[in-house]
Amino acid sequence: MGNAHTPPQPPRDEPDVGGQPAQEPDLIKKIVSQHNKDKVNDNTQTGAFPVVGKRKAKAKGKVKRLSTSSRSLKARLGTGVLIAVLCALLAYGYVIQINNKDLTYETMSETELTRLISESNTQVQRLEQRKAELTRQLNSLEEAADKEAQAAQIAKENEEASGILSGRLPAHGKGIVVRITQGTKAPIDASTMFNLIEELRNGGAEVIAINNVRVVTSTYVSESDNGLICDGKLLEAPYVVKAIGDPSNLQNAVNLAGGVGSRLTVKYGATVTTEVSDDVNITQTQLVERYKFAKIVE
Amino acid sequence: MAAVLGLIIGVVVGLFVRPDIPIFLQPYLPIMVVAALDALLGAARSYFERNFSDKVFVISFLSNVVTATLLVLLGNQLGVGSQLSTAVIVVLGIRIFSNVSAIRRFIFQG
Protein backbone atom coordinates (compact mmCIF):
# COMPACT_ATOMS: atom_id res chain seq x y z
CA MET A 1 0.00 0.00 0.00
CA GLY A 2 2.77 2.38 0.94
CA ASN A 3 4.60 1.54 -2.22
CA ALA A 4 1.52 2.27 -4.30
CA HIS A 5 0.98 5.56 -2.51
CA THR A 6 4.47 7.02 -2.90
CA PRO A 7 4.78 7.28 -6.70
CA PRO A 8 2.17 10.10 -7.02
CA GLN A 9 4.21 12.29 -4.67
CA PRO A 10 7.36 12.88 -6.76
CA PRO A 11 5.39 14.32 -9.74
CA ARG A 12 3.82 16.83 -7.33
CA ASP A 13 7.28 17.77 -6.06
CA GLU A 14 8.84 18.09 -9.47
CA PRO A 15 6.63 20.98 -10.66
CA ASP A 16 7.62 22.75 -7.47
CA VAL A 17 11.28 22.16 -8.25
CA GLY A 18 10.84 23.28 -11.83
CA GLY A 19 8.70 26.28 -10.85
CA GLN A 20 11.18 28.06 -8.54
CA PRO A 21 14.69 27.48 -9.89
CA ALA A 22 16.08 30.98 -9.49
CA GLN A 23 14.51 32.02 -6.23
CA GLU A 24 16.34 29.87 -3.72
CA PRO A 25 19.27 27.69 -4.98
CA ASP A 26 19.99 26.37 -1.48
CA LEU A 27 16.48 25.10 -1.16
CA ILE A 28 16.66 23.42 -4.55
CA LYS A 29 19.91 21.72 -3.63
CA LYS A 30 18.35 20.57 -0.42
CA ILE A 31 15.29 19.28 -2.19
CA VAL A 32 17.39 17.48 -4.81
CA SER A 33 19.58 15.84 -2.22
CA GLN A 34 16.51 14.90 -0.18
CA HIS A 35 14.94 13.45 -3.28
CA ASN A 36 18.00 11.36 -3.96
CA LYS A 37 18.04 10.15 -0.40
CA ASP A 38 14.35 9.29 -0.60
CA LYS A 39 14.99 7.27 -3.72
CA VAL A 40 17.64 5.26 -1.93
CA ASN A 41 15.45 4.83 1.11
CA ASP A 42 12.41 3.90 -0.94
CA ASN A 43 14.37 1.11 -2.54
CA THR A 44 12.36 -2.02 -1.76
CA GLN A 45 15.08 -4.47 -2.68
CA THR A 46 16.24 -6.39 0.37
CA GLY A 47 19.84 -7.17 0.98
CA ALA A 48 19.26 -10.61 2.34
CA PHE A 49 20.92 -12.43 -0.55
CA PRO A 50 23.79 -10.35 -1.83
CA VAL A 51 25.08 -11.44 -5.18
CA VAL A 52 28.49 -12.91 -4.55
CA GLY A 53 28.61 -15.40 -7.38
CA LYS A 54 31.26 -13.61 -9.33
CA ARG A 55 33.71 -13.50 -6.51
CA LYS A 56 33.03 -17.14 -5.70
CA ALA A 57 33.64 -18.12 -9.30
CA LYS A 58 36.88 -16.27 -9.20
CA ALA A 59 37.89 -18.12 -6.06
CA LYS A 60 36.92 -21.43 -7.62
CA GLY A 61 39.02 -20.72 -10.63
CA LYS A 62 41.92 -19.92 -8.40
CA VAL A 63 41.52 -23.22 -6.52
CA LYS A 64 41.30 -25.12 -9.74
CA ARG A 65 44.40 -23.55 -11.11
CA LEU A 66 46.11 -24.23 -7.84
CA SER A 67 45.07 -27.86 -7.75
CA THR A 68 46.11 -28.59 -11.30
CA SER A 69 49.38 -26.83 -11.28
CA SER A 70 50.94 -26.97 -7.90
CA ARG A 71 50.18 -30.47 -6.70
CA SER A 72 52.80 -33.10 -7.19
CA LEU A 73 52.39 -36.20 -9.31
CA LYS A 74 52.63 -38.32 -6.18
CA ALA A 75 49.62 -36.63 -4.55
CA ARG A 76 47.58 -36.92 -7.72
CA LEU A 77 48.44 -40.62 -7.95
CA GLY A 78 47.41 -41.08 -4.34
CA THR A 79 43.99 -39.49 -4.85
CA GLY A 80 43.55 -41.49 -8.03
CA VAL A 81 44.16 -44.69 -6.11
CA LEU A 82 41.74 -43.50 -3.43
CA ILE A 83 39.07 -42.86 -6.05
CA ALA A 84 39.69 -46.28 -7.53
CA VAL A 85 39.37 -47.87 -4.10
CA LEU A 86 36.11 -46.05 -3.39
CA CYS A 87 34.65 -47.03 -6.75
CA ALA A 88 35.78 -50.60 -6.15
CA LEU A 89 34.01 -50.52 -2.80
CA LEU A 90 30.86 -49.26 -4.48
CA ALA A 91 30.92 -51.94 -7.16
CA TYR A 92 31.78 -54.58 -4.59
CA GLY A 93 28.90 -53.61 -2.36
CA TYR A 94 26.60 -53.54 -5.37
CA VAL A 95 27.54 -57.04 -6.49
CA ILE A 96 27.33 -58.37 -2.95
CA GLN A 97 23.89 -56.89 -2.52
CA ILE A 98 22.76 -58.38 -5.83
CA ASN A 99 23.96 -61.81 -4.80
CA ASN A 100 22.53 -61.47 -1.33
CA LYS A 101 19.36 -63.37 -2.05
CA ASP A 102 18.44 -64.79 1.33
CA LEU A 103 15.76 -62.64 2.87
CA THR A 104 16.48 -62.57 6.53
CA TYR A 105 13.64 -61.80 8.87
CA GLU A 106 15.99 -60.25 11.40
CA THR A 107 16.13 -57.04 9.39
CA MET A 108 12.35 -56.63 9.23
CA SER A 109 10.41 -54.38 11.51
CA GLU A 110 7.70 -55.59 13.86
CA THR A 111 4.83 -54.34 11.73
CA GLU A 112 6.26 -55.99 8.65
CA LEU A 113 6.64 -59.25 10.52
CA THR A 114 3.06 -59.18 11.83
CA ARG A 115 1.79 -58.40 8.36
CA LEU A 116 3.84 -61.29 7.01
CA ILE A 117 2.47 -63.61 9.67
CA SER A 118 -1.14 -62.65 9.03
CA GLU A 119 -0.63 -62.95 5.30
CA SER A 120 0.85 -66.40 5.62
CA ASN A 121 -1.94 -67.37 8.02
CA THR A 122 -4.62 -66.43 5.53
CA GLN A 123 -2.71 -68.25 2.86
CA VAL A 124 -2.49 -71.34 5.04
CA GLN A 125 -6.24 -71.19 5.62
CA ARG A 126 -6.90 -70.86 1.92
CA LEU A 127 -4.60 -73.76 1.17
CA GLU A 128 -6.26 -75.89 3.82
CA GLN A 129 -9.65 -75.14 2.36
CA ARG A 130 -8.35 -76.14 -1.03
CA LYS A 131 -6.87 -79.28 0.47
CA ALA A 132 -10.20 -80.23 2.06
CA GLU A 133 -11.93 -79.64 -1.24
CA LEU A 134 -9.44 -81.80 -3.10
CA THR A 135 -9.65 -84.51 -0.45
CA ARG A 136 -13.41 -84.58 -0.84
CA GLN A 137 -13.01 -84.88 -4.58
CA LEU A 138 -10.46 -87.65 -4.15
CA ASN A 139 -12.78 -89.53 -1.79
CA SER A 140 -15.69 -89.31 -4.16
CA LEU A 141 -13.50 -90.46 -7.01
CA GLU A 142 -12.22 -93.36 -4.92
CA GLU A 143 -15.79 -94.30 -4.04
CA ALA A 144 -16.70 -94.20 -7.68
CA ALA A 145 -13.70 -96.35 -8.49
CA ASP A 146 -14.71 -98.80 -5.74
CA LYS A 147 -18.21 -98.95 -7.09
CA GLU A 148 -16.88 -99.53 -10.55
CA ALA A 149 -14.61 -102.28 -9.28
CA GLN A 150 -17.55 -103.87 -7.46
CA ALA A 151 -19.63 -103.63 -10.59
CA ALA A 152 -16.83 -105.18 -12.57
CA GLN A 153 -16.52 -107.96 -9.98
CA ILE A 154 -20.25 -108.64 -10.10
CA ALA A 155 -20.19 -108.56 -13.86
CA LYS A 156 -17.34 -111.04 -13.88
CA GLU A 157 -19.14 -113.34 -11.46
CA ASN A 158 -22.30 -113.04 -13.50
CA GLU A 159 -20.35 -113.78 -16.60
CA GLU A 160 -18.84 -116.90 -15.04
CA ALA A 161 -22.19 -118.07 -13.73
CA SER A 162 -23.98 -117.49 -16.97
CA GLY A 163 -21.03 -118.93 -18.86
CA ILE A 164 -21.31 -122.15 -16.90
CA LEU A 165 -25.06 -122.11 -17.21
CA SER A 166 -25.08 -121.59 -20.95
CA GLY A 167 -22.26 -124.06 -21.48
CA ARG A 168 -19.86 -121.50 -22.80
CA LEU A 169 -17.23 -122.26 -20.16
CA PRO A 170 -15.74 -125.57 -19.06
CA ALA A 171 -16.44 -126.49 -15.43
CA HIS A 172 -15.25 -128.87 -12.76
CA GLY A 173 -16.30 -129.86 -9.28
CA LYS A 174 -17.88 -132.56 -7.13
CA GLY A 175 -20.27 -134.84 -8.94
CA ILE A 176 -20.85 -138.27 -10.42
CA VAL A 177 -19.99 -140.12 -13.58
CA VAL A 178 -22.61 -142.57 -14.91
CA ARG A 179 -21.53 -145.22 -17.37
CA ILE A 180 -24.24 -146.94 -19.33
CA THR A 181 -23.40 -149.81 -21.68
CA GLN A 182 -25.49 -150.59 -24.72
CA GLY A 183 -28.61 -152.40 -23.79
CA THR A 184 -28.63 -156.13 -24.44
CA LYS A 185 -32.40 -156.39 -24.77
CA ALA A 186 -33.08 -153.28 -26.81
CA PRO A 187 -31.26 -150.11 -27.81
CA ILE A 188 -31.75 -147.30 -25.35
CA ASP A 189 -34.28 -144.86 -26.69
CA ALA A 190 -34.19 -141.12 -26.65
CA SER A 191 -36.91 -140.56 -24.08
CA THR A 192 -35.15 -142.71 -21.52
CA MET A 193 -31.92 -140.85 -22.08
CA PHE A 194 -33.77 -137.57 -21.76
CA ASN A 195 -35.38 -138.86 -18.64
CA LEU A 196 -31.96 -139.53 -17.21
CA ILE A 197 -30.99 -135.93 -17.94
CA GLU A 198 -34.16 -134.66 -16.31
CA GLU A 199 -33.62 -136.84 -13.27
CA LEU A 200 -30.12 -135.51 -12.90
CA ARG A 201 -31.43 -131.98 -13.20
CA ASN A 202 -34.01 -132.70 -10.55
CA GLY A 203 -31.23 -134.03 -8.38
CA GLY A 204 -29.58 -130.66 -8.54
CA ALA A 205 -27.02 -131.15 -11.30
CA GLU A 206 -25.47 -127.88 -12.27
CA VAL A 207 -23.51 -129.00 -15.31
CA ILE A 208 -24.21 -132.12 -17.34
CA ALA A 209 -22.45 -133.65 -20.30
CA ILE A 210 -23.14 -136.78 -22.29
CA ASN A 211 -20.13 -138.27 -24.05
CA ASN A 212 -18.83 -135.20 -25.88
CA VAL A 213 -21.95 -133.10 -25.75
CA ARG A 214 -22.52 -130.44 -23.14
CA VAL A 215 -26.11 -130.47 -22.00
CA VAL A 216 -27.72 -127.07 -21.90
CA THR A 217 -31.28 -125.82 -21.78
CA SER A 218 -31.84 -126.29 -25.48
CA THR A 219 -30.29 -129.73 -25.70
CA TYR A 220 -32.38 -132.36 -27.32
CA VAL A 221 -32.03 -136.09 -27.77
CA SER A 222 -33.47 -137.86 -30.76
CA GLU A 223 -33.22 -141.24 -32.40
CA SER A 224 -31.83 -142.20 -35.77
CA ASP A 225 -30.98 -145.41 -37.52
CA ASN A 226 -27.42 -145.34 -36.24
CA GLY A 227 -28.31 -144.53 -32.65
CA LEU A 228 -29.06 -141.59 -30.43
CA ILE A 229 -28.40 -138.10 -31.63
CA CYS A 230 -27.84 -135.34 -29.17
CA ASP A 231 -27.62 -131.75 -30.46
CA GLY A 232 -26.78 -133.05 -33.92
CA LYS A 233 -24.01 -135.35 -32.71
CA LEU A 234 -24.16 -139.09 -32.73
CA LEU A 235 -23.95 -140.71 -29.29
CA GLU A 236 -22.18 -144.05 -29.18
CA ALA A 237 -22.32 -146.64 -26.47
CA PRO A 238 -21.12 -146.85 -23.84
CA TYR A 239 -22.66 -143.61 -22.76
CA VAL A 240 -20.73 -141.62 -20.22
CA VAL A 241 -22.88 -139.07 -18.41
CA LYS A 242 -21.01 -136.60 -16.25
CA ALA A 243 -22.87 -134.37 -13.81
CA ILE A 244 -21.61 -131.79 -11.34
CA GLY A 245 -23.68 -131.30 -8.21
CA ASP A 246 -24.33 -132.88 -4.82
CA PRO A 247 -22.97 -136.42 -5.41
CA SER A 248 -25.34 -138.25 -3.06
CA ASN A 249 -28.41 -136.49 -4.46
CA LEU A 250 -27.32 -137.25 -7.98
CA GLN A 251 -26.59 -140.85 -7.12
CA ASN A 252 -30.01 -141.20 -5.56
CA ALA A 253 -31.64 -139.66 -8.60
CA VAL A 254 -30.07 -142.27 -10.84
CA ASN A 255 -30.35 -145.32 -8.55
CA LEU A 256 -33.82 -144.56 -7.22
CA ALA A 257 -35.93 -147.72 -6.96
CA GLY A 258 -38.18 -147.67 -10.03
CA GLY A 259 -36.22 -144.76 -11.37
CA VAL A 260 -34.35 -144.28 -14.58
CA GLY A 261 -31.40 -146.45 -13.53
CA SER A 262 -33.48 -149.48 -12.73
CA ARG A 263 -35.48 -148.97 -15.88
CA LEU A 264 -32.30 -149.03 -17.94
CA THR A 265 -31.14 -152.26 -16.36
CA VAL A 266 -34.52 -153.95 -16.37
CA LYS A 267 -36.02 -152.76 -19.63
CA TYR A 268 -32.95 -152.46 -21.83
CA GLY A 269 -30.56 -154.83 -20.13
CA ALA A 270 -27.89 -152.18 -19.84
CA THR A 271 -25.29 -152.02 -17.10
CA VAL A 272 -25.40 -148.78 -15.14
CA THR A 273 -22.48 -147.89 -12.94
CA THR A 274 -22.31 -144.65 -10.97
CA GLU A 275 -19.05 -143.38 -9.71
CA VAL A 276 -18.73 -140.55 -7.23
CA SER A 277 -15.82 -138.22 -7.90
CA ASP A 278 -14.51 -135.15 -6.09
CA ASP A 279 -13.34 -133.61 -9.30
CA VAL A 280 -15.50 -134.21 -12.33
CA ASN A 281 -14.06 -132.35 -15.28
CA ILE A 282 -16.44 -131.21 -17.97
CA THR A 283 -14.45 -129.65 -20.76
CA GLN A 284 -17.11 -129.87 -23.42
CA THR A 285 -18.63 -126.54 -24.36
CA GLN A 286 -21.53 -125.28 -26.40
CA LEU A 287 -21.55 -122.29 -28.64
CA VAL A 288 -23.76 -119.53 -27.36
CA GLU A 289 -26.77 -119.14 -29.54
CA ARG A 290 -28.04 -115.77 -30.52
CA TYR A 291 -31.59 -115.13 -29.52
CA LYS A 292 -33.69 -114.25 -32.50
CA PHE A 293 -36.94 -113.37 -30.78
CA ALA A 294 -36.32 -113.01 -27.10
CA LYS A 295 -35.25 -109.57 -25.95
CA ILE A 296 -34.30 -108.29 -22.56
CA VAL A 297 -36.98 -106.37 -20.70
CA GLU A 298 -35.54 -103.13 -19.55
CA MET B 1 40.22 -43.79 -15.54
CA ALA B 2 40.80 -44.66 -11.91
CA ALA B 3 37.05 -44.71 -11.26
CA VAL B 4 36.29 -47.08 -14.14
CA LEU B 5 39.20 -49.29 -13.19
CA GLY B 6 37.96 -49.36 -9.60
CA LEU B 7 34.44 -50.27 -10.67
CA ILE B 8 35.69 -53.16 -12.77
CA ILE B 9 37.93 -54.40 -9.98
CA GLY B 10 35.06 -54.17 -7.51
CA VAL B 11 32.69 -56.18 -9.72
CA VAL B 12 35.30 -58.86 -10.30
CA VAL B 13 36.18 -59.12 -6.64
CA GLY B 14 32.49 -59.18 -5.70
CA LEU B 15 31.86 -62.00 -8.15
CA PHE B 16 34.60 -64.18 -6.73
CA VAL B 17 34.68 -63.27 -3.05
CA ARG B 18 31.38 -63.71 -1.30
CA PRO B 19 31.64 -62.90 2.35
CA ASP B 20 28.70 -63.25 4.72
CA ILE B 21 27.42 -59.78 5.36
CA PRO B 22 27.06 -59.19 9.08
CA ILE B 23 23.43 -58.95 10.11
CA PHE B 24 23.70 -55.44 11.53
CA LEU B 25 25.00 -54.20 8.17
CA GLN B 26 22.37 -55.85 6.01
CA PRO B 27 19.70 -53.10 6.01
CA TYR B 28 22.34 -50.43 5.37
CA LEU B 29 24.23 -51.95 2.46
CA PRO B 30 21.67 -51.08 -0.25
CA ILE B 31 21.39 -47.52 1.07
CA MET B 32 25.17 -47.22 1.11
CA VAL B 33 25.34 -48.46 -2.46
CA VAL B 34 22.74 -45.94 -3.62
CA ALA B 35 24.48 -43.08 -1.78
CA ALA B 36 27.82 -44.02 -3.30
CA LEU B 37 26.20 -44.21 -6.71
CA ASP B 38 24.88 -40.69 -6.21
CA ALA B 39 28.34 -39.47 -5.27
CA LEU B 40 29.82 -41.15 -8.32
CA LEU B 41 27.29 -39.57 -10.66
CA GLY B 42 27.87 -36.18 -9.04
CA ALA B 43 31.58 -36.61 -9.70
CA ALA B 44 30.86 -37.51 -13.30
CA ARG B 45 28.74 -34.40 -13.66
CA SER B 46 31.46 -32.17 -12.20
CA TYR B 47 33.97 -33.85 -14.49
CA PHE B 48 31.87 -32.80 -17.46
CA GLU B 49 31.53 -29.31 -15.97
CA ARG B 50 35.34 -29.20 -15.74
CA ASN B 51 35.43 -28.45 -12.05
CA PHE B 52 36.03 -31.99 -10.80
CA SER B 53 38.09 -32.15 -7.68
CA ASP B 54 39.28 -35.52 -6.42
CA LYS B 55 39.37 -34.22 -2.86
CA VAL B 56 35.75 -33.12 -3.08
CA PHE B 57 34.80 -36.42 -4.63
CA VAL B 58 36.40 -38.46 -1.88
CA ILE B 59 34.83 -36.34 0.82
CA SER B 60 31.39 -36.30 -0.79
CA PHE B 61 31.52 -40.03 -1.35
CA LEU B 62 32.32 -40.78 2.25
CA SER B 63 29.94 -38.16 3.66
CA ASN B 64 27.11 -39.37 1.43
CA VAL B 65 27.53 -42.94 2.57
CA VAL B 66 27.94 -42.05 6.22
CA THR B 67 25.00 -39.64 6.23
CA ALA B 68 22.65 -42.09 4.54
CA THR B 69 23.66 -44.86 6.90
CA LEU B 70 23.33 -42.67 9.96
CA LEU B 71 19.90 -41.48 8.84
CA VAL B 72 18.66 -45.01 8.44
CA LEU B 73 20.24 -46.00 11.74
CA LEU B 74 18.50 -43.11 13.42
CA GLY B 75 15.22 -44.11 11.79
CA ASN B 76 15.66 -47.68 13.01
CA GLN B 77 16.24 -46.44 16.53
CA LEU B 78 13.16 -44.21 16.36
CA GLY B 79 11.02 -46.99 14.87
CA VAL B 80 10.59 -45.34 11.48
CA GLY B 81 13.49 -47.12 9.79
CA SER B 82 11.61 -48.27 6.73
CA GLN B 83 10.02 -44.86 6.12
CA LEU B 84 13.28 -43.01 6.59
CA SER B 85 15.17 -45.39 4.36
CA THR B 86 12.47 -44.80 1.75
CA ALA B 87 12.96 -41.07 2.16
CA VAL B 88 16.71 -41.40 1.76
CA ILE B 89 16.30 -43.55 -1.31
CA VAL B 90 13.82 -41.06 -2.80
CA VAL B 91 16.13 -38.11 -2.22
CA LEU B 92 19.13 -39.93 -3.59
CA GLY B 93 17.08 -41.06 -6.55
CA ILE B 94 16.07 -37.48 -7.31
CA ARG B 95 19.70 -36.40 -7.10
CA ILE B 96 20.78 -39.24 -9.33
CA PHE B 97 18.18 -38.20 -11.86
CA SER B 98 19.26 -34.56 -11.82
CA ASN B 99 22.91 -35.54 -12.12
CA VAL B 100 22.16 -37.83 -15.01
CA SER B 101 20.15 -35.14 -16.76
CA ALA B 102 23.04 -32.67 -16.31
CA ILE B 103 25.47 -35.20 -17.76
CA ARG B 104 23.08 -35.79 -20.63
CA ARG B 105 22.99 -32.08 -21.33
CA PHE B 106 26.76 -32.01 -21.52
CA ILE B 107 26.94 -35.02 -23.77
CA PHE B 108 24.15 -34.06 -26.18
CA GLN B 109 24.66 -30.29 -25.86
CA GLY B 110 21.09 -29.57 -24.92
Side-chain angles (χ1 to χ4, degrees), chain A residues 60 64 71 76 79-84 86-88 90-97 99-100 102 104 106-107 109 112, chain B residues 2-3 6-7 10-11 13-15 17-19 21 23 26-27 29-30 33 36-37 40 50-51 54 57-58 61-62:
Chain A
K60 249 189 188 170
K64 201 168 130 194
R71 281 165 66 202
R76 282 171 66 188
T79 49
V81 168
L82 199 57
I83 289 168
L86 287 178
C87 288
L90 164 60
Y92 183 64
Y94 174 71
V95 173
I96 292 291
Q97 184 60 28
N99 291 330
N100 181 23
D102 53 346
T104 48
E106 282 96 334
T107 62
S109 70
E112 271 177 309
Chain B
L7 282 175
V11 168
V13 171
L15 282 176
V17 184
R18 301 244 177 103
I21 312 160
I23 287 254
Q26 263 183 5
L29 189 58
V33 168
L37 203 63
L40 193 68
R50 300 202 181 285
N51 58 2
D54 37 17
F57 168 64
V58 170
F61 188 100
L62 293 177

Side-chain angles (χ1 to χ4, degrees), chain A residues 144-158:
Chain A
D146 277 359
K147 266 183 200 163
E148 214 162 289
Q150 274 181 358
Q153 178 94 16
I154 288 168
K156 202 182 166 198
E157 279 169 11
N158 277 348

Side-chain angles (χ1 to χ4, degrees), chain B residues 23-67:
Chain B
I23 287 254
F24 69 90
L25 207 67
Q26 263 183 5
Y28 305 119
L29 189 58
I31 303 268
M32 285 161 111
V33 168
V34 174
L37 203 63
D38 170 52
L40 193 68
L41 282 169
R45 177 194 183 170
S46 65
Y47 177 78
F48 280 110
E49 286 173 352
R50 300 202 181 285
N51 58 2
F52 172 74
S53 158
D54 37 17
K55 217 189 288 174
V56 171
F57 168 64
V58 170
I59 289 166
S60 79
F61 188 100
L62 293 177
S63 73
N64 251 9
V65 170
V66 169
T67 310

